[in-house]
Amino acid sequence: MRSTAPPEVKIRREMTVVLDRRNGPEPDVSVVRAEAVTGPEITRYRAADVLLAVEVVSPDSEARDREAKPHKYAAAGIEHFWLVEMTGTDPHPVVRIYERDPVTKAYALTGIHHDRLKTAVPFPVDIDMSADALKAL
């Protein structure tokens, strides 16, 4: 994602996102407004500065990643949410992309991506997730 991100956004891993007084989850990946990155000492971002929260589901965080976090992110106004999961016993990722509906203030599924992740929001992304591409990493 970093290689295709425009200069007005920054990609951050496992940084606290302050949603409210009692909630500060750490998405696996966050896309934040570049102006929110004011120095290397930054350890948290406001929800208003986060354009996309990405959660990678693991067995110990499955319920939080699928149920609790998406509701909290949407309620805090984060417009985009991606959920990355492995399918069955095959270590191949599936990415579900959600966009926040301004009427319901909840996420609506806009796409399920298996071999290629291609989207225009929050910025153009085109990632080859095929088995061959993953092996080449």
Side-chain angles (χ1 to χ4, degrees):
M1 285 180 65
R2 283 188 174 129
S3 65
T4 62
E8 57 269 10
V9 302
K10 299 293 182 192
I11 313 299
R12 294 294 183 251
R13 288 185 48 215
E14 299 172 343
M15 296 291 286
T16 299
V17 175
V18 178
L19 304 179
D20 58 37
R21 278 186 7 190
R22 295 183 172 158
N23 290 286
E26 293 181 3
D28 293 299
V29 177
S30 298
V31 175
V32 300
R33 298 177 201 288
E35 62 265 16
V37 182
T38 57
E41 72 284 350
I42 296 294
T43 61
R44 61 185 58 217
Y45 296 101
R46 298 176 312 127
D49 291 321
V50 178
L51 305 174
L52 165 66
V54 180
E55 291 292 346
V56 179
V57 176
S58 61
D60 62 330
S61 67
E62 189 173 350
R64 286 188 311 271
D65 293 344
R66 285 185 179 162
E67 299 164 19
K69 286 183 176 182
H71 294 292
K72 290 179 181 184
Y73 294 153
I78 296 174
E79 294 297 324
H80 304 279
F81 174 70
W82 294 359
L83 189 67
V84 181
E85 298 184 84
M86 297 304 178
T87 57
T89 59
D90 178 20
H92 188 265
V94 172
V95 180
R96 288 178 173 77
I97 295 183
Y98 298 86
E99 191 167 325
R100 187 172 176 268
D101 183 297
V103 175
T104 64
K105 297 186 178 24
Y107 289 125
L109 181 66
T110 61
I112 300 173
H113 303 265
H114 295 269
D115 286 326
R116 182 171 236 48
L117 169 57
K118 189 170 185 176
T119 184
V121 290
F123 60 89
V125 174
D126 188 355
I127 300 172
D128 185 355
M129 302 184 313
S130 66
D132 289 340
L134 295 175
K135 285 178 189 173
L137 294 175

